[in-house]
Amino acid sequence: KVRYFAILREERGLDLEEISTTCETLEQLYKELSNRYRFSLESSRLAVSQNDNFAAWTDPVKHGSTIVFIPPVAGG
């Protein structure tokens, strides 16, 4: 499952979706989805988590996991 917040949710039009992928890393997955949905943010501007834990972009995609791409937070 992939969960989207803020601008990514607006650009995707969903907050949660189940996907099937052959991507091996979280960064490859984000690039695949970014190309598909034309996300405006590069992965370098985001944080990523897998199964409620912050992750590295080079971490492998784990089957059955929930992945969250976290855009920058604004505010005071």
Side-chain angles (χ1 to χ4, degrees):
K1 296 178 186 171
V2 177
R3 185 171 298 278
Y4 304 101
F5 290 103
I7 191 169
L8 297 177
R9 180 179 56 221
E10 292 172 19
E11 292 175 347
R12 175 60 185 102
L14 293 172
D15 62 350
L16 177 69
E17 70 177 325
E18 289 193 33
I19 62 163
S20 178
T21 185
T22 60
C23 293
E24 293 183 12
T25 67
L26 295 172
E27 185 167 29
Q28 289 172 352
L29 176 61
Y30 182 75
K31 286 181 180 182
E32 176 183 285
L33 295 173
S34 183
N35 288 334
R36 184 182 305 168
Y37 303 129
R38 301 177 189 250
F39 291 146
S40 61
L41 296 176
E42 296 292 325
S43 61
S44 62
R45 304 229 13 239
L46 304 171
V48 61
S49 75
Q50 187 164 218
N51 296 327
D52 298 322
N53 293 302
F54 281 105
W57 286 107
T58 55
D59 286 353
V61 175
K62 298 175 185 170
H63 178 76
S65 64
T66 299
I67 297 165
V68 182
F69 299 117
I70 307 164
V73 178

